[in-house]
mmCIF file with all atom_site columns, all heavy atoms in Angstrom:
data_model
loop_
_atom_site.group_PDB
_atom_site.id
_atom_site.type_symbol
_atom_site.label_atom_id
_atom_site.label_alt_id
_atom_site.label_comp_id
_atom_site.label_asym_id
_atom_site.label_entity_id
_atom_site.label_seq_id
_atom_site.pdbx_PDB_ins_code
_atom_site.Cartn_x
_atom_site.Cartn_y
_atom_site.Cartn_z
_atom_site.occupancy
_atom_site.B_iso_or_equiv
_atom_site.pdbx_formal_charge
_atom_site.auth_seq_id
_atom_site.auth_comp_id
_atom_site.auth_asym_id
_atom_site.auth_atom_id
_atom_site.pdbx_PDB_model_num
ATOM 1   N N   . GLU A 1 56  ? 125.153 111.797 -53.043 1.00 0.00 ? 163 GLU A N   1
ATOM 2   C CA  . GLU A 1 56  ? 124.496 111.238 -51.861 1.00 0.00 ? 163 GLU A CA  1
ATOM 3   C C   . GLU A 1 56  ? 122.987 111.111 -52.093 1.00 0.00 ? 163 GLU A C   1
ATOM 4   O O   . GLU A 1 56  ? 122.360 110.099 -51.732 1.00 0.00 ? 163 GLU A O   1
ATOM 5   C CB  . GLU A 1 56  ? 124.773 112.113 -50.643 1.00 0.00 ? 163 GLU A CB  1
ATOM 6   C CG  . GLU A 1 56  ? 126.214 112.088 -50.157 1.00 0.00 ? 163 GLU A CG  1
ATOM 7   C CD  . GLU A 1 56  ? 126.585 110.752 -49.543 1.00 0.00 ? 163 GLU A CD  1
ATOM 8   O OE1 . GLU A 1 56  ? 125.687 110.007 -49.113 1.00 0.00 ? 163 GLU A OE1 1
ATOM 9   O OE2 . GLU A 1 56  ? 127.790 110.425 -49.507 1.00 0.00 ? 163 GLU A OE2 1
ATOM 10  N N   . SER A 1 57  ? 122.407 112.145 -52.707 1.00 0.00 ? 164 SER A N   1
ATOM 11  C CA  . SER A 1 57  ? 120.970 112.081 -52.984 1.00 0.00 ? 164 SER A CA  1
ATOM 12  C C   . SER A 1 57  ? 120.658 110.976 -53.979 1.00 0.00 ? 164 SER A C   1
ATOM 13  O O   . SER A 1 57  ? 119.664 110.234 -53.824 1.00 0.00 ? 164 SER A O   1
ATOM 14  C CB  . SER A 1 57  ? 120.488 113.432 -53.526 1.00 0.00 ? 164 SER A CB  1
ATOM 15  O OG  . SER A 1 57  ? 120.597 114.435 -52.540 1.00 0.00 ? 164 SER A OG  1
ATOM 16  N N   . ASN A 1 58  ? 121.486 110.838 -55.014 1.00 0.00 ? 165 ASN A N   1
ATOM 17  C CA  . ASN A 1 58  ? 121.269 109.775 -56.003 1.00 0.00 ? 165 ASN A CA  1
ATOM 18  C C   . ASN A 1 58  ? 121.389 108.395 -55.364 1.00 0.00 ? 165 ASN A C   1
ATOM 19  O O   . ASN A 1 58  ? 120.594 107.479 -55.647 1.00 0.00 ? 165 ASN A O   1
ATOM 20  C CB  . ASN A 1 58  ? 122.266 109.913 -57.149 1.00 0.00 ? 165 ASN A CB  1
ATOM 21  C CG  . ASN A 1 58  ? 121.937 111.093 -58.056 1.00 0.00 ? 165 ASN A CG  1
ATOM 22  O OD1 . ASN A 1 58  ? 120.785 111.490 -58.157 1.00 0.00 ? 165 ASN A OD1 1
ATOM 23  N ND2 . ASN A 1 58  ? 122.955 111.646 -58.699 1.00 0.00 ? 165 ASN A ND2 1
ATOM 24  N N   . ALA A 1 59  ? 122.403 108.268 -54.495 1.00 0.00 ? 166 ALA A N   1
ATOM 25  C CA  . ALA A 1 59  ? 122.603 106.974 -53.839 1.00 0.00 ? 166 ALA A CA  1
ATOM 26  C C   . ALA A 1 59  ? 121.402 106.620 -52.961 1.00 0.00 ? 166 ALA A C   1
ATOM 27  O O   . ALA A 1 59  ? 120.890 105.486 -52.994 1.00 0.00 ? 166 ALA A O   1
ATOM 28  C CB  . ALA A 1 59  ? 123.882 107.003 -53.010 1.00 0.00 ? 166 ALA A CB  1
ATOM 29  N N   . ALA A 1 60  ? 120.941 107.601 -52.185 1.00 0.00 ? 167 ALA A N   1
ATOM 30  C CA  . ALA A 1 60  ? 119.790 107.345 -51.315 1.00 0.00 ? 167 ALA A CA  1
ATOM 31  C C   . ALA A 1 60  ? 118.535 107.068 -52.137 1.00 0.00 ? 167 ALA A C   1
ATOM 32  O O   . ALA A 1 60  ? 117.727 106.177 -51.804 1.00 0.00 ? 167 ALA A O   1
ATOM 33  C CB  . ALA A 1 60  ? 119.566 108.537 -50.390 1.00 0.00 ? 167 ALA A CB  1
ATOM 34  N N   . ALA A 1 61  ? 118.369 107.830 -53.226 1.00 0.00 ? 168 ALA A N   1
ATOM 35  C CA  . ALA A 1 61  ? 117.195 107.623 -54.078 1.00 0.00 ? 168 ALA A CA  1
ATOM 36  C C   . ALA A 1 61  ? 117.242 106.254 -54.742 1.00 0.00 ? 168 ALA A C   1
ATOM 37  O O   . ALA A 1 61  ? 116.216 105.560 -54.848 1.00 0.00 ? 168 ALA A O   1
ATOM 38  C CB  . ALA A 1 61  ? 117.120 108.733 -55.126 1.00 0.00 ? 168 ALA A CB  1
ATOM 39  N N   . ASN A 1 62  ? 118.427 105.856 -55.190 1.00 0.00 ? 169 ASN A N   1
ATOM 40  C CA  . ASN A 1 62  ? 118.553 104.534 -55.818 1.00 0.00 ? 169 ASN A CA  1
ATOM 41  C C   . ASN A 1 62  ? 118.268 103.421 -54.816 1.00 0.00 ? 169 ASN A C   1
ATOM 42  O O   . ASN A 1 62  ? 117.598 102.421 -55.138 1.00 0.00 ? 169 ASN A O   1
ATOM 43  C CB  . ASN A 1 62  ? 119.951 104.372 -56.405 1.00 0.00 ? 169 ASN A CB  1
ATOM 44  C CG  . ASN A 1 62  ? 120.174 105.286 -57.606 1.00 0.00 ? 169 ASN A CG  1
ATOM 45  O OD1 . ASN A 1 62  ? 119.218 105.662 -58.288 1.00 0.00 ? 169 ASN A OD1 1
ATOM 46  N ND2 . ASN A 1 62  ? 121.424 105.642 -57.856 1.00 0.00 ? 169 ASN A ND2 1
ATOM 47  N N   . GLN A 1 63  ? 118.784 103.583 -53.610 1.00 0.00 ? 170 GLN A N   1
ATOM 48  C CA  . GLN A 1 63  ? 118.538 102.575 -52.583 1.00 0.00 ? 170 GLN A CA  1
ATOM 49  C C   . GLN A 1 63  ? 117.058 102.513 -52.229 1.00 0.00 ? 170 GLN A C   1
ATOM 50  O O   . GLN A 1 63  ? 116.481 101.420 -52.065 1.00 0.00 ? 170 GLN A O   1
ATOM 51  C CB  . GLN A 1 63  ? 119.369 102.889 -51.338 1.00 0.00 ? 170 GLN A CB  1
ATOM 52  C CG  . GLN A 1 63  ? 119.376 101.769 -50.319 1.00 0.00 ? 170 GLN A CG  1
ATOM 53  C CD  . GLN A 1 63  ? 120.392 102.023 -49.213 1.00 0.00 ? 170 GLN A CD  1
ATOM 54  O OE1 . GLN A 1 63  ? 121.098 103.016 -49.229 1.00 0.00 ? 170 GLN A OE1 1
ATOM 55  N NE2 . GLN A 1 63  ? 120.471 101.099 -48.253 1.00 0.00 ? 170 GLN A NE2 1
ATOM 56  N N   . LEU A 1 64  ? 116.416 103.709 -52.151 1.00 0.00 ? 171 LEU A N   1
ATOM 57  C CA  . LEU A 1 64  ? 114.986 103.753 -51.858 1.00 0.00 ? 171 LEU A CA  1
ATOM 58  C C   . LEU A 1 64  ? 114.186 103.149 -53.011 1.00 0.00 ? 171 LEU A C   1
ATOM 59  O O   . LEU A 1 64  ? 113.218 102.400 -52.794 1.00 0.00 ? 171 LEU A O   1
ATOM 60  C CB  . LEU A 1 64  ? 114.554 105.201 -51.608 1.00 0.00 ? 171 LEU A CB  1
ATOM 61  C CG  . LEU A 1 64  ? 113.063 105.429 -51.327 1.00 0.00 ? 171 LEU A CG  1
ATOM 62  C CD1 . LEU A 1 64  ? 112.644 104.688 -50.059 1.00 0.00 ? 171 LEU A CD1 1
ATOM 63  C CD2 . LEU A 1 64  ? 112.774 106.922 -51.199 1.00 0.00 ? 171 LEU A CD2 1
ATOM 64  N N   . THR A 1 65  ? 114.621 103.464 -54.223 1.00 0.00 ? 172 THR A N   1
ATOM 65  C CA  . THR A 1 65  ? 113.925 102.911 -55.393 1.00 0.00 ? 172 THR A CA  1
ATOM 66  C C   . THR A 1 65  ? 114.004 101.383 -55.407 1.00 0.00 ? 172 THR A C   1
ATOM 67  O O   . THR A 1 65  ? 113.000 100.682 -55.644 1.00 0.00 ? 172 THR A O   1
ATOM 68  C CB  . THR A 1 65  ? 114.532 103.484 -56.684 1.00 0.00 ? 172 THR A CB  1
ATOM 69  O OG1 . THR A 1 65  ? 114.426 104.911 -56.648 1.00 0.00 ? 172 THR A OG1 1
ATOM 70  C CG2 . THR A 1 65  ? 113.811 102.950 -57.909 1.00 0.00 ? 172 THR A CG2 1
ATOM 71  N N   . GLY A 1 66  ? 115.199 100.872 -55.159 1.00 0.00 ? 173 GLY A N   1
ATOM 72  C CA  . GLY A 1 66  ? 115.363 99.414  -55.117 1.00 0.00 ? 173 GLY A CA  1
ATOM 73  C C   . GLY A 1 66  ? 114.527 98.768  -54.031 1.00 0.00 ? 173 GLY A C   1
ATOM 74  O O   . GLY A 1 66  ? 113.951 97.677  -54.221 1.00 0.00 ? 173 GLY A O   1
ATOM 75  N N   . MET A 1 209 ? 117.850 105.868 -44.215 1.00 0.00 ? 316 MET A N   1
ATOM 76  C CA  . MET A 1 209 ? 118.034 107.313 -44.378 1.00 0.00 ? 316 MET A CA  1
ATOM 77  C C   . MET A 1 209 ? 118.859 107.898 -43.236 1.00 0.00 ? 316 MET A C   1
ATOM 78  O O   . MET A 1 209 ? 119.671 108.804 -43.440 1.00 0.00 ? 316 MET A O   1
ATOM 79  C CB  . MET A 1 209 ? 116.662 108.015 -44.429 1.00 0.00 ? 316 MET A CB  1
ATOM 80  C CG  . MET A 1 209 ? 115.823 107.675 -45.657 1.00 0.00 ? 316 MET A CG  1
ATOM 81  S SD  . MET A 1 209 ? 116.542 108.245 -47.205 1.00 0.00 ? 316 MET A SD  1
ATOM 82  C CE  . MET A 1 209 ? 117.063 106.660 -47.900 1.00 0.00 ? 316 MET A CE  1
ATOM 83  N N   . TYR A 1 212 ? 122.667 107.778 -43.555 1.00 0.00 ? 319 TYR A N   1
ATOM 84  C CA  . TYR A 1 212 ? 123.364 108.689 -44.471 1.00 0.00 ? 319 TYR A CA  1
ATOM 85  C C   . TYR A 1 212 ? 123.839 109.912 -43.686 1.00 0.00 ? 319 TYR A C   1
ATOM 86  O O   . TYR A 1 212 ? 123.045 110.656 -43.129 1.00 0.00 ? 319 TYR A O   1
ATOM 87  C CB  . TYR A 1 212 ? 122.436 109.123 -45.605 1.00 0.00 ? 319 TYR A CB  1
ATOM 88  C CG  . TYR A 1 212 ? 122.361 108.124 -46.732 1.00 0.00 ? 319 TYR A CG  1
ATOM 89  C CD1 . TYR A 1 212 ? 121.369 107.145 -46.740 1.00 0.00 ? 319 TYR A CD1 1
ATOM 90  C CD2 . TYR A 1 212 ? 123.283 108.154 -47.773 1.00 0.00 ? 319 TYR A CD2 1
ATOM 91  C CE1 . TYR A 1 212 ? 121.290 106.221 -47.766 1.00 0.00 ? 319 TYR A CE1 1
ATOM 92  C CE2 . TYR A 1 212 ? 123.212 107.220 -48.801 1.00 0.00 ? 319 TYR A CE2 1
ATOM 93  C CZ  . TYR A 1 212 ? 122.223 106.262 -48.794 1.00 0.00 ? 319 TYR A CZ  1
ATOM 94  O OH  . TYR A 1 212 ? 122.162 105.350 -49.819 1.00 0.00 ? 319 TYR A OH  1
ATOM 95  N N   . GLN A 1 277 ? 116.173 114.640 -55.120 1.00 0.00 ? 384 GLN A N   1
ATOM 96  C CA  . GLN A 1 277 ? 116.219 113.560 -56.109 1.00 0.00 ? 384 GLN A CA  1
ATOM 97  C C   . GLN A 1 277 ? 115.001 112.653 -55.908 1.00 0.00 ? 384 GLN A C   1
ATOM 98  O O   . GLN A 1 277 ? 114.681 112.264 -54.786 1.00 0.00 ? 384 GLN A O   1
ATOM 99  C CB  . GLN A 1 277 ? 117.509 112.739 -55.960 1.00 0.00 ? 384 GLN A CB  1
ATOM 100 C CG  . GLN A 1 277 ? 117.635 111.565 -56.898 1.00 0.00 ? 384 GLN A CG  1
ATOM 101 C CD  . GLN A 1 277 ? 117.770 112.004 -58.354 1.00 0.00 ? 384 GLN A CD  1
ATOM 102 O OE1 . GLN A 1 277 ? 118.582 112.854 -58.662 1.00 0.00 ? 384 GLN A OE1 1
ATOM 103 N NE2 . GLN A 1 277 ? 116.968 111.423 -59.221 1.00 0.00 ? 384 GLN A NE2 1
ATOM 104 N N   . HIS A 1 278 ? 114.301 112.307 -57.012 1.00 0.00 ? 385 HIS A N   1
ATOM 105 C CA  . HIS A 1 278 ? 113.156 111.404 -56.952 1.00 0.00 ? 385 HIS A CA  1
ATOM 106 C C   . HIS A 1 278 ? 113.615 109.942 -57.012 1.00 0.00 ? 385 HIS A C   1
ATOM 107 O O   . HIS A 1 278 ? 114.579 109.624 -57.713 1.00 0.00 ? 385 HIS A O   1
ATOM 108 C CB  . HIS A 1 278 ? 112.193 111.680 -58.104 1.00 0.00 ? 385 HIS A CB  1
ATOM 109 C CG  . HIS A 1 278 ? 111.371 112.918 -57.890 1.00 0.00 ? 385 HIS A CG  1
ATOM 110 N ND1 . HIS A 1 278 ? 111.895 114.174 -57.997 1.00 0.00 ? 385 HIS A ND1 1
ATOM 111 C CD2 . HIS A 1 278 ? 110.054 113.072 -57.545 1.00 0.00 ? 385 HIS A CD2 1
ATOM 112 C CE1 . HIS A 1 278 ? 110.954 115.066 -57.762 1.00 0.00 ? 385 HIS A CE1 1
ATOM 113 N NE2 . HIS A 1 278 ? 109.816 114.419 -57.470 1.00 0.00 ? 385 HIS A NE2 1
ATOM 114 N N   . ALA A 1 279 ? 112.911 109.118 -56.278 1.00 0.00 ? 386 ALA A N   1
ATOM 115 C CA  . ALA A 1 279 ? 113.228 107.681 -56.254 1.00 0.00 ? 386 ALA A CA  1
ATOM 116 C C   . ALA A 1 279 ? 112.488 106.992 -57.393 1.00 0.00 ? 386 ALA A C   1
ATOM 117 O O   . ALA A 1 279 ? 111.423 106.379 -57.202 1.00 0.00 ? 386 ALA A O   1
ATOM 118 C CB  . ALA A 1 279 ? 112.849 107.082 -54.909 1.00 0.00 ? 386 ALA A CB  1
ATOM 119 N N   . GLY A 1 280 ? 113.025 107.104 -58.591 1.00 0.00 ? 387 GLY A N   1
ATOM 120 C CA  . GLY A 1 280 ? 112.418 106.476 -59.757 1.00 0.00 ? 387 GLY A CA  1
ATOM 121 C C   . GLY A 1 280 ? 110.999 106.960 -59.973 1.00 0.00 ? 387 GLY A C   1
ATOM 122 O O   . GLY A 1 280 ? 110.720 108.173 -59.919 1.00 0.00 ? 387 GLY A O   1
ATOM 123 N N   . TYR A 1 284 ? 108.336 108.967 -54.316 1.00 0.00 ? 391 TYR A N   1
ATOM 124 C CA  . TYR A 1 284 ? 109.044 109.372 -53.104 1.00 0.00 ? 391 TYR A CA  1
ATOM 125 C C   . TYR A 1 284 ? 110.298 110.153 -53.490 1.00 0.00 ? 391 TYR A C   1
ATOM 126 O O   . TYR A 1 284 ? 110.878 109.938 -54.557 1.00 0.00 ? 391 TYR A O   1
ATOM 127 C CB  . TYR A 1 284 ? 109.388 108.149 -52.253 1.00 0.00 ? 391 TYR A CB  1
ATOM 128 C CG  . TYR A 1 284 ? 108.177 107.569 -51.563 1.00 0.00 ? 391 TYR A CG  1
ATOM 129 C CD1 . TYR A 1 284 ? 107.251 106.781 -52.259 1.00 0.00 ? 391 TYR A CD1 1
ATOM 130 C CD2 . TYR A 1 284 ? 107.953 107.828 -50.222 1.00 0.00 ? 391 TYR A CD2 1
ATOM 131 C CE1 . TYR A 1 284 ? 106.138 106.268 -51.635 1.00 0.00 ? 391 TYR A CE1 1
ATOM 132 C CE2 . TYR A 1 284 ? 106.828 107.299 -49.584 1.00 0.00 ? 391 TYR A CE2 1
ATOM 133 C CZ  . TYR A 1 284 ? 105.927 106.526 -50.297 1.00 0.00 ? 391 TYR A CZ  1
ATOM 134 O OH  . TYR A 1 284 ? 104.832 106.031 -49.675 1.00 0.00 ? 391 TYR A OH  1
ATOM 135 N N   . VAL A 1 286 ? 114.064 112.182 -51.977 1.00 0.00 ? 393 VAL A N   1
ATOM 136 C CA  . VAL A 1 286 ? 115.071 112.376 -50.927 1.00 0.00 ? 393 VAL A CA  1
ATOM 137 C C   . VAL A 1 286 ? 115.728 113.736 -51.172 1.00 0.00 ? 393 VAL A C   1
ATOM 138 O O   . VAL A 1 286 ? 115.880 114.173 -52.315 1.00 0.00 ? 393 VAL A O   1
ATOM 139 C CB  . VAL A 1 286 ? 116.125 111.251 -50.941 1.00 0.00 ? 393 VAL A CB  1
ATOM 140 C CG1 . VAL A 1 286 ? 115.504 109.936 -50.542 1.00 0.00 ? 393 VAL A CG1 1
ATOM 141 C CG2 . VAL A 1 286 ? 116.800 111.138 -52.292 1.00 0.00 ? 393 VAL A CG2 1
#
Side-chain angles (χ1 to χ4, degrees):
E163 291 290 338
S164 294
N165 287 333
N169 291 334
Q170 191 170 359
L171 178 62
T172 302
M316 293 295 108
Y319 277 93
Q384 178 67 50
H385 284 73
Y391 287 77
V393 293

